[in-house]
């Protein structure tokens, strides 16, 4: 066995130092946001908060989490995310599987239509008119259908399906398995990594989405939680919150953005560790050609 050279050891030390520095730089904004969410108004405004809370205060958390509408909108977001992610995953998988067939007539046209939408769209007003004319406003479908397929995710899944051995599907066809049976019994069991990756991509996208709910929902009880928190930020920072004392209002105005970020990202952070092991392999499998 060849011994480790001095140059390689130096490389390992430098590489470890640089990666550690990158991790610390990446983590600092996140830790700072969490610290600000638990800090007092004066300490936040004077810039004393770094990585540890100062003037520990839970006023903003209490204000947000004591509101029944917050939990209603949070429940809406969970429901919207689950349904939208399931529909998007089914549609993207079916479309990508079709496009992965090189002998498909019109394949180039279908790929071109999908790629075209990455660079051009109808615009905000035509989209709004279309959704309204279809009677989708104030419904789940206004959030789900306009974003049901991400072309980037579609192309990643298409590349992954193309990388699977054709012989597997040919053997299934010889055994009398149809197209849907091949997809369900052969292809999908081999695609757990890319499916988990697409699940994470879609779930994060729908969870963080606020503009569709803001645009297409008129009733407050239908808002996703992101719209609720957006309105709370707007009210707190403009000083229009007349339901709280002046001291509490100042505290909320100072920390509302940090509290909002923490409340929004917490569920995704809890789910991510269970999917993370599939994440890198899922994206790479869709990009590497064998």
């Amino acid at each position: 066995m060849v011994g480790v050279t001095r140059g390689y050891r130096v490389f390992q030390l430098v590489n470890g130092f640089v990666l550690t520095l990158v991790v610390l730089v990446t983590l600092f904004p996140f830790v700072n946001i969490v610290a600000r969410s638990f800090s007092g108004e004066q300490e936040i405004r004077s810039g004393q908060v770094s990585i540890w809370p100062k003037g520990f205060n839970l006023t903003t958390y209490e204000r947000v989490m004591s509101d029944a509408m917050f939990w209603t909108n949070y429940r809406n977001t969970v429901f919207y995310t689950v349904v939208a992610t399931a529909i998007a995953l089914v549609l993207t998988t079916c479309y990508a599987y079709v496009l992965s067939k090189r002998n498909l007539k019109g394949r180039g046209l279908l790929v071109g239509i999908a790629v075209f939408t990455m660079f051009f769209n109808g615009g905000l007003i035509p989209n709004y008119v279309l959704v309204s004319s279809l009677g989708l406003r104030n419904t789940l479908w206004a959030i789900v259908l306009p974003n049901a397929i991400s072309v980037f995710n579609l192309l990643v899944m298409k590349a992954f399906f193309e990388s699977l051995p054709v012989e597997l599907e040919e053997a299934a066809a010889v055994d009398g398995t149809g197209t849907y049976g091949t997809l369900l019994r052969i292809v999908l069991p081999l695609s757990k990594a890319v499916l988990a990756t697409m699940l994470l991509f879609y779930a994060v996208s729908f969870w963080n989405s606020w503009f569709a709910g803001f645009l297409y929902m008129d009733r407050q009880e239908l808002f996703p939680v992101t719209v609720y928190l957006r309105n709370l930020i707007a009210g707190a920072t403009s000083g229009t919150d007349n339901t709280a004392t002046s001291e509490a209002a100042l505290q909320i105005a100072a920390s509302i953005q940090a509290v909002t970020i923490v409340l929004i990202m917490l569920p995704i952070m809890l789910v991510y560790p269970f999917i993370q092991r599939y994440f890198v392999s899922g994206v790479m499998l869709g990009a590497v050609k064998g």
Side-chain angles (χ1 to χ4, degrees):
M1 180 178 177
V2 180
V4 178
T5 64
R6 182 178 178 182
Y8 184 70
R9 289 177 179 173
V10 172
F11 168 77
Q12 285 183 312
L13 290 174
V14 173
N15 193 39
F17 173 77
V18 172
L19 291 178
T20 302
L21 187 62
V22 170
V23 170
L24 292 176
V25 171
T26 304
L27 283 179
F28 177 76
F30 166 71
V31 176
N32 177 256
I33 287 295
V34 175
R36 286 167 60 91
S37 71
F38 290 104
S39 298
E41 179 261 337
Q42 294 183 354
E43 288 76 10
I44 294 174
R45 295 190 183 279
S46 61
Q48 300 178 30
V49 182
S50 181
I51 62 173
W52 194 257
K54 292 188 177 180
F56 190 80
N57 194 300
L58 295 176
T59 300
T60 307
Y61 278 104
E62 293 172 354
R63 162 69 176 82
V64 173
M65 301 182 73
S66 63
D67 188 355
M69 188 57 66
F70 168 78
W71 295 110
T72 298
N73 294 157
Y74 217 99
R75 185 173 62 251
N76 291 344
T77 299
V78 173
F79 178 69
Y80 295 159
T81 301
V82 170
V83 175
T85 301
I87 292 175
L89 204 56
V90 170
L91 294 179
T92 303
T93 300
C94 294
Y95 197 2
Y97 183 66
V98 169
L99 295 182
S100 68
K101 303 305 171 188
R102 300 184 184 277
N103 59 350
L104 175 69
K105 293 183 179 179
R107 176 175 180 264
L109 176 62
L110 293 176
V111 173
I113 292 174
V115 173
F116 181 84
T117 62
M118 293 183 67
F119 305 101
F120 304 97
N121 61 67
L124 179 62
I125 295 178
N127 283 338
Y128 181 83
V129 172
L130 175 62
V131 170
S132 299
S133 63
L134 292 175
L136 300 180
R137 292 181 62 237
N138 292 313
T139 69
L140 164 70
W141 309 113
I143 295 177
V144 174
L145 295 182
N147 303 294
I149 295 180
S150 165
V151 178
F152 172 80
N153 295 346
L154 173 70
L155 297 178
V156 170
M157 290 197 74
K158 168 183 167 292
F160 176 83
F161 289 147
E162 288 176 342
S163 69
L164 294 176
V166 179
E167 292 77 12
L168 291 175
E169 298 187 39
E170 292 176 348
V174 170
D175 291 337
T177 305
T179 302
Y180 295 106
T182 302
L183 175 62
L184 296 175
R185 299 176 186 175
I186 306 297
V187 176
L188 293 186
L190 296 174
S191 308
K192 293 179 181 178
V194 74
L195 288 174
T197 303
M198 295 302 105
L199 175 67
L200 181 64
F201 281 172
Y202 276 123
V204 171
S205 175
F206 285 115
W207 182 270
N208 291 331
S209 175
W210 70 273
F211 189 68
F214 178 75
L215 185 64
Y216 300 125
M217 302 294 185
D218 294 333
R219 302 202 300 270
Q220 189 176 7
E221 64 272 14
L222 297 177
F223 287 164
V225 71
T226 46
V227 175
Y228 170 89
L229 294 174
R230 177 262 175 197
N231 294 339
L232 190 62
I233 291 175
T237 54
S238 63
T240 59
D241 188 1
N242 298 321
T243 63
T245 64
S246 58
E247 183 178 352
L250 289 174
Q251 172 61 41
I252 292 173
S255 60
I256 184 61
Q257 292 184 359
V259 170
T260 297
I261 293 173
V262 172
L263 291 175
I264 290 297
M265 70 182 179
L266 186 59
I268 297 297
M269 289 183 59
L270 295 177
V271 172
Y272 182 77
F274 299 99
I275 305 179
Q276 187 270 341
R277 66 193 182 101
Y278 297 105
F279 184 75
V280 175
S281 61
V283 174
M284 293 303 295
L285 284 172
V288 176
K289 294 292 184 182

